[in-house]
Amino acid sequence: MAATPRGTSPVPPDARPRLTVLSGPSGVGKSTVVAHMRKEHPEVWLSVSATTRKPRPGEQHGVHYFFVGDEEMDKLIANGELLEWAEFAGNRYGTPRTAVLERLEAGEPVLLEIDLQGARQVRESMPEARLVFLAPPSWEELVRRLTGRGTEPPEVIERRLAAARVELAAEPEFDQTLVNTSVEDVARELLALTNVV
Ligand code: ADP
Ligand code: 5GP
């Protein structure tokens, strides 16, 4: 099945929004889709977040995240260095403000991959942003993907699934929904939404 855009965007088609926010429940495939898209279109700039979460095998500092301690995260927040931040399943995550603003001022499209709480903050502070929700084909498939990834112990999976129920209920807040059935199809849809091509 092809990626299915649902809903209508309040952003007029000629407004060419340059800030795209991708959200969706943990395990739905956000990182997979974004990596696939950027393999062919490295010009799509993806913000690298700061997080207090420990790196998963293969994750690199400065590439996948800036892995920081609690004190450093406290400082980033206190100094206003984050565009948005949220606590998710026991860790804190935030978007470094300056890098994003520099790209936007240069007229370059920017992609953020953040959770629902972060997406809501961006909607408040930058209402021109386009909010895209990545949905699973079914709840069962989401559980399968999250469990199958094998990167979290059972109690963390439980926390992430509890968050997923809340995130799925918030889908109508987004401008657009893409259903992640095929990584290739969703990556193509997402590329079109970022207005790079
Ligand atoms: P997220 O970044 O949203 O937490 P990931 O990108 O880590 O999710 O994907 C979670 C798991 O689902 C991974 O094992 C990934 O390979 C798998 N996956 C992602 N997209 C699909 C898809 N369209 N079909 C099947 N498996 C997928
Ligand atoms: P993970 O630990 O699986 O990499 O990410 C957990 C959740 O945190 C995902 O929903 C991811 O999109 C979100 N996330 C990653 N970076 C940020 C960020 O900078 N801000 C917010 N609010 N959420 C983030």
Side-chain angles (χ1 to χ4, degrees):
M1 194 179 83
T4 317
R6 287 205 299 252
T8 49
S9 165
V11 181
D14 59 350
R16 314 280 298 166
R18 294 190 190 282
L19 177 60
T20 306
V21 174
L22 181 68
S23 288
S26 181
V28 70
K30 298 180 296 298
S31 305
T32 305
V33 164
V34 168
H36 188 83
M37 181 181 78
R38 293 184 75 234
K39 211 163 73 187
E40 291 180 16
H41 292 274
E43 71 275 17
V44 181
W45 188 76
L46 174 70
S47 164
V48 179
S49 298
T51 184
T52 57
R53 169 167 80 60
K54 298 281 171 279
R56 293 178 186 137
E59 282 185 334
Q60 292 167 265
H61 182 78
V63 176
H64 299 92
Y65 281 107
F66 296 106
F67 295 99
V68 299
D70 267 319
E71 276 184 23
E72 199 172 340
M73 184 62 96
D74 287 343
K75 267 193 222 153
L76 291 173
I77 294 168
N79 295 340
E81 288 181 49
L82 301 179
L83 185 65
E84 60 71 37
W85 70 273
E87 181 158 346
F88 181 90
N91 293 297
R92 285 182 291 171
Y93 300 79
T95 303
R97 182 191 299 277
T98 308
V100 169
L101 296 185
E102 280 175 0
R103 293 302 187 296
L104 290 174
E105 274 159 27
E108 291 172 29
V110 165
L111 179 62
L112 306 184
E113 193 229 289
I114 60 177
D115 87 324
L116 170 66
Q117 305 165 77
R120 284 175 172 158
Q121 292 171 49
V122 172
R123 166 131 288 167
E124 281 295 308
S125 61
M126 302 170 107
E128 71 282 8
R130 187 194 289 272
L131 268 51
V132 180
F133 189 81
L134 192 61
S138 66
W139 176 259
E140 291 69 27
E141 178 62 14
L142 178 68
V143 175
R144 226 180 343 261
R145 286 183 193 173
L146 187 54
T147 314
R149 187 167 68 189
T151 49
E152 279 86 22
E155 66 273 16
V156 176
I157 289 179
E158 282 311 313
R159 291 178 89 164
R160 287 176 177 246
L161 287 175
R165 291 193 186 277
V166 176
E167 302 209 88
L168 288 170
E171 183 201 322
E173 294 178 32
F174 286 74
D175 298 315
Q176 212 102 34
T177 293
L178 302 176
V179 180
N180 184 14
T181 303
S182 147
V183 172
E184 290 75 20
D185 288 347
V186 177
R188 202 176 315 114
E189 290 278 352
L190 183 62
L191 182 71
L193 291 173
T194 60
N195 287 333
V196 171
V197 289

